[in-house]
Amino acid sequence: MKIDIVLVRTEHSSNIGSTARAMANMGANRLILVDPKCKIDLKARQNAAGAQEQLQNRIAYSNWSEFLANEEDGVRIALSRRGGRKRKVFALTGKIQELEKLRPSTLYLIFGPEADAL
């Protein structure tokens, strides 16, 4: 299974670089940016450290619709530190067995903008 990391409306380039570095360390496949609010700059490259390839090979979409139209089906998991009235929140550990049964070709781990705490 491929694991792709999706950052939505990221505000700080250093977080993009840090994500690329974590991906390289953990073996994630692709870095996908949706409507980024910052540019890849020196801070992003510095925080990526030895993961320049992941940073360089990133894919960027201008909006969520473009992402959905161009990416293959898979399991999409949005990670959040808090719940909400309009979304169900599950402990990831409780869903791992269900996910393993699905055997998706791609698992998208989705993180939203820093200010929204997703």
Side-chain angles (χ1 to χ4, degrees):
M1 169 177 28
K2 298 182 304 185
I3 298 175
D4 291 349
I5 306 298
V6 182
L7 302 180
V8 181
R9 295 188 314 274
T10 306
E11 299 165 352
H12 304 288
S13 63
S14 57
N15 289 339
I16 295 172
S18 296
T19 300
R21 186 177 71 237
M23 289 175 59
N25 289 334
M26 302 294 181
N29 189 40
R30 297 183 303 153
L31 174 59
I32 300 171
L33 306 177
V34 177
D35 190 20
K37 300 301 181 190
C38 59
K39 302 227 184 262
I40 302 302
D41 59 9
L42 180 60
K43 283 184 180 184
R45 290 189 294 279
Q46 286 174 333
N47 280 24
Q52 299 302 315
E53 184 177 341
Q54 284 78 1
L55 191 60
Q56 200 84 18
N57 293 335
R58 71 191 178 277
I59 297 166
Y61 295 111
S62 59
N63 56 53
W64 190 246
S65 296
E66 187 180 355
F67 166 80
L68 294 173
N70 288 286
E71 290 296 323
E72 66 184 48
D73 287 337
V75 172
R76 295 179 175 103
I77 298 175
L79 300 160
S80 179
R81 70 177 179 98
R82 59 183 165 193
R85 279 184 264 148
K86 295 184 180 183
R87 65 179 179 257
K88 292 181 182 179
V89 176
F90 303 97
L92 188 56
T93 54
K95 293 294 178 179
I96 293 295
Q97 288 178 339
E98 289 178 42
L99 180 62
E100 288 173 343
K101 290 177 189 175
L102 292 174
R103 297 206 183 273
S105 60
T106 304
L107 172 64
Y108 297 93
L109 298 178
I110 304 167
F111 299 86
E114 297 88 344
D116 291 340
L118 179 67

